[in-house]
Amino acid sequence: EFGGVKPRVNLSVFYGFYENIQAGVTRSYISTLNNLPAITTVEENAATAHISGIDGEFTVLPFDGLQIYLAFEYLNDVFDKFQSQVQGDLSSAGFFLTPKWKYVLRGTYRLPVLPSDESLGTLSLIPSWTWQSGVVDS
């Protein structure tokens, strides 16, 4: 507690290595039902990959009834060896559908409601904002 304000911090750094990982690859084809172009996802063996990053959460309680929360995440993910039969060499490509950056900002304000009978629960206002960077989607 600092000057009546209660902060809380959680940080983590991580690194993971994958062998024989599988990944979905987008493939186009001509439909046999209507002879029109269509798209599907094919699972392929992507061989090896790694992921590293950092994430953190910060919570501050400036006074009783108000909580402010901020979180972030940074991901560095890459296929080390990935020779796709559909799309060719995807080595050094990022993982599919994973954002590089993500942020969350949220506040919680517990509204004073009468009567103050704890058995009735609490009423809170919780505005929230989330943002993430683009993703690899093919």
Side-chain angles (χ1 to χ4, degrees):
E1 189 170 322
F2 298 101
V5 176
K6 299 175 183 176
R8 184 173 43 228
V9 177
N10 293 310
L11 291 172
S12 62
V13 178
F14 53 90
Y15 180 87
F17 179 76
Y18 301 97
E19 290 188 37
N20 297 320
I21 190 173
Q22 292 185 334
V25 177
T26 302
R27 177 179 173 266
S28 61
Y29 66 98
I30 302 298
S31 172
T32 56
L33 297 175
N34 56 16
N35 255 1
L36 295 174
I39 295 175
T40 190
T41 301
V42 179
E43 290 296 315
E44 292 189 355
N45 186 354
T48 60
H50 71 273
I51 186 169
S52 59
I54 183 170
D55 61 29
E57 297 178 323
F58 306 93
T59 303
V60 178
L61 299 133
F63 55 84
D64 190 35
L66 178 64
Q67 176 181 334
I68 300 169
Y69 172 84
L70 172 66
F72 75 93
E73 181 174 68
Y74 170 75
L75 287 177
N76 180 29
D77 47 37
V78 66
F79 293 105
D80 299 315
K81 184 178 177 186
F82 188 174
Q83 188 61 43
S84 168
Q85 294 178 8
V86 175
Q87 294 186 359
D89 188 7
L90 294 176
S91 300
S92 299
F95 287 13
F96 306 122
L97 302 177
T98 58
K100 185 76 62 184
W101 287 97
K102 185 169 186 176
Y103 300 101
V104 175
L105 177 61
R106 181 176 58 235
T108 303
Y109 178 66
R110 192 175 61 237
L111 298 168
V113 179
L114 295 175
S116 60
D117 182 0
E118 290 297 322
S119 67
L120 296 176
T122 60
L123 180 61
S124 297
L125 178 64
I126 307 174
S128 183
W129 172 81
T130 302
W131 179 87
Q132 72 178 30
S133 61
V135 298
V136 175
D137 64 356
S138 59

